[in-house]
Amino acid sequence: SSAAKYVSIATGKADLAGESTRKGNLEFATAYALFHEAGGVMLTLDGKDIGPRHFLTFGQAEHIPILMASNLHIARQAIKLINTQTTK
C-alpha cells in the first residue's frame, strides 16, 4: 500500500519508492509533510519538488510518477537512472 511505502521511507527502513498520482487520491499530499520533516524528498521525474503543487488539482486528471526518497542525492541518482533507461 502507499501508506506502507511512506512509513518505510520516513522511518529509514527503505531509501526509495515510486508512486503515481491517481484521481481522488490525496495520500501523497499528506505524506509530503512527513517526508519533508524526516529529511526526505518527493519529486516528479523531471526533478521538481511536489511541495509547491496545488494538491487538489495536481495529478487528478492524469497519472504523474512521483519518486520518494530518503534524501535528495538518492532521488537525483534514481531519476537519472530512470530517465536514462526510458530514453533507450
Side-chain angles (χ1 to χ4, degrees), residues 2-3 9 26 46 48 50 64 76 84:
S2 296
I9 294 173
L26 297 175
D46 59 0
K48 294 182 181 173
I50 69 164
I64 300 172
R76 286 184 175 158
T84 299

Side-chain angles (χ1 to χ4, degrees), residues 55-77:
F55 290 117
L56 292 177
T57 56
F58 173 67
Q60 297 299 304
E62 68 279 333
H63 295 284
I64 300 172
I66 299 172
L67 191 66
M68 303 164 286
S70 57
N71 63 58
L72 187 57
H73 177 72
I74 290 173
R76 286 184 175 158
Q77 285 183 320

Side-chain angles (χ1 to χ4, degrees), residues 2 5-6 9 16-21 26-36 39-53 55 58 65-72 75 79:
S2 296
K5 290 183 219 177
Y6 302 147
I9 294 173
L16 185 68
E19 180 70 88
S20 179
T21 60
L26 297 175
E27 288 179 355
F28 65 91
T30 304
Y32 180 82
L34 244 162
F35 273 66
H36 187 70
V41 296
M42 294 179 82
L43 307 174
T44 55
L45 292 184
D46 59 0
K48 294 182 181 173
D49 189 317
I50 69 164
R53 308 296 176 116
F55 290 117
F58 173 67
I66 299 172
L67 191 66
M68 303 164 286
S70 57
N71 63 58
L72 187 57
I79 289 170

